[in-house]
């Protein structure tokens, strides 16, 4: 299973989601060892850069190493990754426009749809233009979404019940 998280520039939310998901999967042990996680951005503005220093700092306080190098989503990502998670509605619209086939569109999911502890949020807001509280909120929401995604993955891996 290959998972890709996508936000606008790949320097705040999607690299945080990548780092959070990777850490959570490692903590869950070998049954999730075959899952790969990556992140990308809709646009090329930050390609080759480390994530925003504020996101790295806030993530480090929670034990996450947010250090992937930014890249733009590529054509082959739509066939390489089993699920592509957009971080907000605008990301989902952009991804839907980039997807060429129904099969590619079927791989798209909104990360916020997996949140269970933050019912007032339908998206993971971009913290880039805000202050520290925005980064903390984004991390809270991403942790929630990752837990929901893991629950979905666990249900896919569970053997059928004996009847």
């Amino acid at each position: 299973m290959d998972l890709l998280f996508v936000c606008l520039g790949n320097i705040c939310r999607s690299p945080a989601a990548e780092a959070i998901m990777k850490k959570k999967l490692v903590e869950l042990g070998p049954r999730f060892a075959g899952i790969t996680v990556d992140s990308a951005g809709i646009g090329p503005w930050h390609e080759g850069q480390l994530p925003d220093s504020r996101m790295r700092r806030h993530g480090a306080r929670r034990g996450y190493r947010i250090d992937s190098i930014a890249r733009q989503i590529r054509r082959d990502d739509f066939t390489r990754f089993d699920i592509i998670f957009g971080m907000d509605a605008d990301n989902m619209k952009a991804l839907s426009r980039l997807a060429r086939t129904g099969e590619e569109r079927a791989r798209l999911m909104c990360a916020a749809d997996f949140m269970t502890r933050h019912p007032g949020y339908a998206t993971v807001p971009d913290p880039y233009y805000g202050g520290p509280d925005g980064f903390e909120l984004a991390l809270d929401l991403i942790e929630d979404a990752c837990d929901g995604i893991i629950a979905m993955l666990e249900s896919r891996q569970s053997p059928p019940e004996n009847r």
Side-chain angles (χ1 to χ4, degrees), residues 66-83:
I66 304 172
D67 63 356
S68 59
I69 301 300
R71 70 174 184 88
Q72 185 177 16
I73 191 163
R74 297 183 298 257
R75 183 73 229 127
D76 68 331
D77 289 335
F78 287 91
T79 54
R80 177 178 166 220
F81 291 93
D82 299 295
I83 307 173

Side-chain angles (χ1 to χ4, degrees), residues 137-150:
L137 174 62
L139 288 168
D140 288 344
L141 298 174
I142 293 166
E143 287 172 340
D144 188 1
C146 286
D147 288 341
I149 292 166
I150 289 168

Side-chain angles (χ1 to χ4, degrees), residues 82-93:
D82 299 295
I83 307 173
I84 300 173
F85 295 99
M87 301 309 288
D88 65 29
D90 289 337
N91 302 151
M92 293 302 296
K93 287 177 192 169

Side-chain angles (χ1 to χ4, degrees), residues 2 9 54 56 68 90 95 98 100 112 125-126 140 143 158:
D2 296 316
R54 297 165 296 172
R56 287 185 284 144
S68 59
D90 289 337
L95 288 166
L98 291 170
R100 292 185 180 163
D126 191 345
D140 288 344
E143 287 172 340
S158 297

Side-chain angles (χ1 to χ4, degrees), residues 108-124:
L108 304 178
M109 295 184 179
C110 184
D113 290 346
F114 293 88
M115 296 186 307
T116 61
R117 297 185 301 272
H118 298 86
Y121 288 89
T123 187
V124 178

Side-chain angles (χ1 to χ4, degrees), residues 36-68:
T36 60
V37 184
D38 196 3
S39 64
I42 298 295
W45 313 285
H46 302 287
E47 276 191 297
Q49 296 177 14
L50 282 168
D52 184 285
S53 62
R54 297 165 296 172
M55 183 57 85
R56 287 185 284 144
R57 189 171 47 254
H58 285 272
R61 288 186 196 133
R62 296 181 186 213
Y64 302 118
R65 186 174 178 180
I66 304 172
D67 63 356
S68 59

